[in-house]
Structures are given as C-alpha cells and as structure tokens.
Amino acid sequence: MLEVRNYIRGEWLTLREGREVEVRNPANLDEILGKGRLASARHAANAIEAAEQALEGWARTPAPKRGEIVERAGDILKAEMDDVARLLTQEEGKTFTDAKGEVYRAYNVLNYTAGQSRRVGGVTIPSELPRNFAYTMRHPLGVVALITPWNFPIAIPAWKIAPALVAGNTVVFKPSSTTPLTAARLVEIFERAGIPAGVLNLLVGSSSDVGDLLMHDRRIRGISFTGSSENGTAIYTTCASRGIKAQCEMGGKNPVVVLEDADLDLAADGIVSGAFGSTGQRCTATSRAILQASIADEVVQKMTERVSKWKVGNGLDPEVQMGPLVSESQMKTVEHYVETGKKEGARVVTGGGRPPGVPRGYYVQPTIFDGVKPEFRIAREEIFGPVLSVIRAGDYDEALRYANASEYGLTSSIYTNDAGKIFDFCERIETGMVHVNSPTVGGEAQIPFGGVKSSGVGEREQGPTVLDFYTDVKVVYVDYTGAARTSKFY
Ligand code: NAD
C-alpha cells in the first residue's frame, strides 16, 4: 500500500496529525491503494515559504537549464509509462489504454515545453525617438499555485508544472485529494530529474484550508486552475480582487452536430468514443448529440448497437472499454441526472442503470437519452459522466442554434461533407476548440487548449504561447543620444 504524502522543501512528509484520507480503487472498493493525512493551512504556509526561498535561485538559473530538468522528467515518465498508467487506472478508474494515452500526452507536454525553454525571450521594437532602442524581457511571476482536478491526474499537472518551471517560477501544486498518489508519482519523477529543493512543492489538502490559503496568501503571484466552472469563477474573482493573474480552465457541455450528408458510421463511432471514453469524465467529453431529424433514428440506432457491445468493468481488464466513475459522489451525481432526464420526459435508449456482474465499485452503464429538448437540465448542465443527450434539429441553422445555446464553450464537433457548412460552423460555433468529422476530445502539446464562455478564462494553456501566462513582460528603453530630451511629450 502507498502512503499519501506531501512534498515540501525537497522532503517527503509523513503527517502525524490532520484529517485521514484513504484511496480506494473505484473499480474495486475492497482494494485500498493508499492512506495518509491531509495537509493543513500550516503546511500550505510552509510550502509557500519554501517556494519563496527557492525563487531567486531558480529564476536566475538559465532557462535552458530549467528546461533540461523538465526534459529529463519527461524521459523518466516515458520510460515508466506502463507503471504510471497502471497506478492511474487503479486510482482514477479509466482504462489502461486511456491511462497510457494520458501518460504519453504528459510526456509530450514535458518534452515540448522543455524545448520552449530556449525561446523564453522578448522582442526588439523600433523606437520613434532617434538613437533609442527598446526591447522586452520576460520575467517569472514568482510563486505560483497550480490547482488541478482528478480526471487527468498526470496530464493536467504536467501541462501546468512544466511551463511554470520553464518560465522560472516556483510552484505550490495542489492536486485533487481524490487522486493524490498519481500526483505524488509525478512530483517524485521531477525530484529524480533533479528539481532543486523548494522549487516544486506538493500539497494534498482540502480546498477549504489549503486551497483557501493559496487563494489569499500575498506571496502567491499567479494561480492556474482546472476544475468546475463554479469553483473556477470564484477563484478568478478572488484573484482579480487581489490583482494577480489567474488562468481557469473549467467545465463543458460539448455538442456534436451531425448533418444528413455525413458519414453516419463515422459519426456514430466518434460520438460514442467521445461520450463514453474515459467514462465521460473528460472536460471535452461529448454530452450533446444534435442530429438532423432526417437521419436521427439511424444514428441513434448505430450508436446503440456500438455501445451495447461495450464491456464495463475494471480498466485493467483488456476487454473492458469503460471503467467506473471516480467516486461515490460522482456516481450519485450521474444517477441523479439519469433520474432527472427521465422526469423531464427524455427516453432512455440504452443504459440508465448499474451494469450487471461488476465488482463492488462506482459503476454506471453508458447511457443514451433520446427525445431531449434543449431546455432540459440534462441538455444544459455538465453531468461529467457517461450520459449522452440526443437532440433533434430540422436543419443546420437550428442545429447550430442549439449547439450555441449553452453557458459553456469548451469544444465541439461537426460531421458533414459540405465544405461551406464546415467553414460556417467553425466560424460561428461558440467554443474554444472545434473538431471536423472527429470526436470532441483530444489535444496536442503544441496546440493551444481551452474554452470560452463559462469554460475558460485567462490565457490559453499549451501551444506556442504556453509561457505567456507564467511570465510578466518588462519593457526596457535605452537612450544612447547622451542628451536630455527636449520635447514636452516625452
Ligand atoms: P473541482 O472544481 O471540484 O476541483 C478542482 C480542484 O480545485 C481540486 O484540487 C479542488 O480541491 C480545488 N478547489 C476547489 N475549490 C477551490 C477553492 N475555492 N480554492 C482552492 N482550490 C479549490 O473539480 P473536479 O471535480 O476535481 O474536476 C471536474 C471538473 O473539472 C469538471 O467540471 C471538468 O469539466 C473540469 N475540467 C476542466 C478541464 C479543462 O481543461 N477545461 C479539464 C479537466 C477537467
């Protein structure tokens, strides 16, 4: 059994007091994976102090040297991929294939961001004054707090920690206490890669004591958060009131539009994998299928045929396509929404209950609702589980209207072979990411990731501008005239 640990000032701490926490495999509740205690506000204060003390040395380390450590961490992660993926499956529940995909994504992010360490530069800009030279420099923000959810417990921390470090910040990392073991594994890899003491600190604690202190401590100069829209909005508001930078990636209610000229098999495959892959616990999961009415019955039938063949169970079983939900509260939320959908008048086409013959765990069946109206709660609220709402639309314009009738705007997809509609959709859909003839899910290290509306606020993560959030711009003016200025305008 593993220990739930915190890492402060280069030391792994075994806490003697504080709230006890126990990590069980959501696929088999009889399997206890780890135990330990949660960090308190006092530990959070220690971690911030350690990060502050390490800041000057780290910020002055040449960026390519910082990048080397991040690159080395990526290499270790890649070499230990199967082992890390197994732990991830056991702790979070997603299938081993999905877990390996996530670990590989984390490796890509570390590798790509390490390369960015050779590009932490500014620009030279011609001045309007004679014999004057202006340029910009990028500086780290200082100590930053990175707050992450449980659903991508390796990839999301990696895509925050890597740019924060490459940019020269020191870090207090607060993962979800639902997945503390995978988080610790990543930090341990950074330790083995040579991260100096205090530069990266791990706090496994509740949002009320640890999270609250991170929000309000004046030494924290930036917060990158991924999680629910409700919490992200509150965090963004607090950061704004303190005048510090915040980047919040939040929830989604991602639509797929299928038009009558589309390849319907391709669409059914894409919707099913987008909706039920990783048990629907992806911010980019497909949760609304908006089907042109003329082909809706056929697509629903094709999706149902595919889903009914899926095996639900322990993600380490190679025959299983869908694992459990991560926790009892997630399972109850999903069950609540299934009941809500029925009461609202939607029809369960497949699923809707617990799968037969599974171990003691947080399982639900992949569930498709047909006859969903855009105003139903199951069409508007993020469920974050394997529940798909099918909405019918008369034509493309109506489908686009329904797709945009959401407070969220993370990602979307359209299935059609009509080039005009594809370009129109990409222009008018209100989401930060759009997929054409492919599922709503996925992302790549070198491509920006993030949403609009209630799905995201602040600078984009990943991609070529990945360091923007983690740095401040300083402007330097060099006057080499040697003479005092005479113009009253300057
Ligand atoms: P959550 O908001 O409950 O928690 C996320 C993290 O924030 C946790 O570590 C939690 O302890 C911490 N936290 C919550 N309130 C806080 C506060 N007031 N102060 C400080 N810390 C606080 O989210 P979750 O249930 O862990 O994750 C699921 C949610 O994450 C879903 O809504 C999903 O859509 C979203 N998500 C978004 C993206 C994205 O990139 N847009 C990616 C993955 C998950």
Side-chain angles (χ1 to χ4, degrees), residues 71-88:
E71 185 180 5
R72 217 174 298 138
D75 291 342
I76 298 172
L77 184 64
K78 191 179 184 192
E80 298 177 3
M81 184 167 308
D82 280 12
D83 202 36
V84 177
R86 195 169 302 108
L87 175 64
L88 203 168

Side-chain angles (χ1 to χ4, degrees), residues 214-287:
L214 295 179
M215 282 311 101
H216 294 100
D217 192 292
R218 60 168 182 81
R219 293 167 293 183
I220 298 285
R221 301 310 306 159
I223 295 183
S224 180
F225 165 90
T226 299
S228 64
S229 298
E230 193 188 349
N231 291 331
T233 308
I235 287 170
Y236 198 78
T237 308
T238 306
C239 290
S241 71
R242 291 189 46 218
I244 65 167
K245 271 175 124 178
Q247 172 187 59
C248 297
E249 291 299 341
M250 303 178 280
K253 191 70 192 171
N254 310 300
V256 169
V257 167
V258 185
L259 300 183
E260 59 191 4
D261 71 309
D263 177 334
L264 302 187
D265 285 304
L266 186 72
D269 282 336
I271 298 172
V272 164
S273 72
F276 305 119
S278 295
T279 324
Q281 298 179 124
R282 291 194 274 217
C283 53
T284 54
T286 306
S287 57

Side-chain angles (χ1 to χ4, degrees), residues 8-9 45-55 170 197-199 201:
I8 300 175
R9 212 177 259 106
N46 278 343
I48 297 170
E49 186 183 271
E52 197 188 41
Q53 287 167 354
L55 181 62
T170 53
V199 171
N201 302 277

Side-chain angles (χ1 to χ4, degrees), residues 309-331:
K309 292 193 191 118
W310 275 36
K311 187 173 170 195
V312 179
N314 188 327
L316 289 180
D317 176 345
E319 286 180 5
V320 159
Q321 277 90 8
M322 195 180 98
L325 290 152
V326 75
S327 63
E328 188 178 9
S329 74
Q330 277 299 118
M331 186 176 75

Side-chain angles (χ1 to χ4, degrees), residues 1-7 11-24 32-39 43 87 91 175-185 188 202-206:
M1 193 194 311
L2 296 167
E3 191 187 345
V4 175
R5 292 179 301 167
N6 291 272
Y7 183 72
E11 280 179 29
W12 290 98
L13 306 181
T14 298
L15 304 185
R16 304 262 169 254
E17 51 192 53
R19 213 173 84 212
E20 280 186 273
V21 58
E22 188 178 79
V23 184
R24 286 178 187 253
I32 301 175
L33 302 169
K35 279 186 180 178
R37 288 178 191 276
L38 293 184
H43 297 110
L87 175 64
E91 190 175 39
S176 164
S177 38
T178 306
T179 48
L181 303 175
T182 321
R185 186 66 193 263
E188 207 179 280
L202 167 71
L203 284 176
V204 179
S206 72

Side-chain angles (χ1 to χ4, degrees), residues 147-152 156 159 174-177 205-207 211-212 215 225-229 231-232 234-235 249-252 282-283 330 382 384 410 449 455 461:
I147 302 177
T148 58
W150 44 262
N151 68 323
F152 279 89
I156 293 177
W159 81 52
K174 195 205 99 48
S176 164
S177 38
S206 72
S207 48
D212 201 54
M215 282 311 101
F225 165 90
T226 299
S228 64
S229 298
N231 291 331
I235 287 170
E249 291 299 341
M250 303 178 280
R282 291 194 274 217
C283 53
Q330 277 299 118
E382 185 184 47
F384 219 55
L410 188 57
F449 184 93
S455 293
E461 303 200 80

